[in-house]
Amino acid sequence: MAALPKCPECSSAFTYEDGNNYVCPECAHEWSKDAHAPSGEQQRVYKDAFGNMLADGDSITVIKDLKIKGSSSVVKVGTKVKNIRLVEGDHDIDCKIDGIGAMQLKTEFVKKA
């Protein structure tokens, strides 16, 4: 039996075949078998603390008070951040917060607004 491809949306290994499509039972994403071309480079999926997909340009809300290293400032719960940019690394989000400035955040401390 040939190995089925991982889901391009959530990277789940539990995909199955349904006619001429692949289906992911975890995120319900469906894609055509023809669209699947094995490549060495896979695109990373970014999700907020509640499992919602994030994309460049989204608005987010901070769900936990975040102390800023090297400063006495704090990013408060409920702070809205507009026009985020997703990047590779430990901190997944580049953004600019009003009153604080440029900052990097982790996706586990935000929710999609």
Side-chain angles (χ1 to χ4, degrees), residues 34-109:
D34 301 331
H36 175 70
S39 64
E41 191 173 322
Q42 291 189 8
Q43 201 166 30
R44 183 165 174 210
V45 176
Y46 295 91
K47 294 185 177 185
D48 69 4
F50 301 101
N52 299 316
M53 303 286 284
L54 294 173
D56 285 341
D58 281 348
S59 293
I60 57 172
T61 304
V62 177
I63 61 168
K64 178 182 175 185
D65 281 346
L66 301 173
K67 294 180 182 177
I68 300 172
K69 205 178 238 186
S71 172
S72 61
S73 300
V74 175
V75 178
K76 295 282 188 183
V77 171
T79 301
K80 273 193 103 169
V81 181
K82 298 178 186 174
N83 198 19
I84 65 169
R85 188 169 62 99
L86 300 171
V87 295
E88 291 291 324
D90 185 34
H91 291 73
D92 310 301
I93 300 171
D94 268 346
C95 60
K96 188 182 258 187
I97 300 176
D98 292 336
I100 296 175
M103 172 161 278
Q104 290 186 328
L105 301 172
K106 290 186 177 184
T107 53
E108 63 196 70
F109 298 122

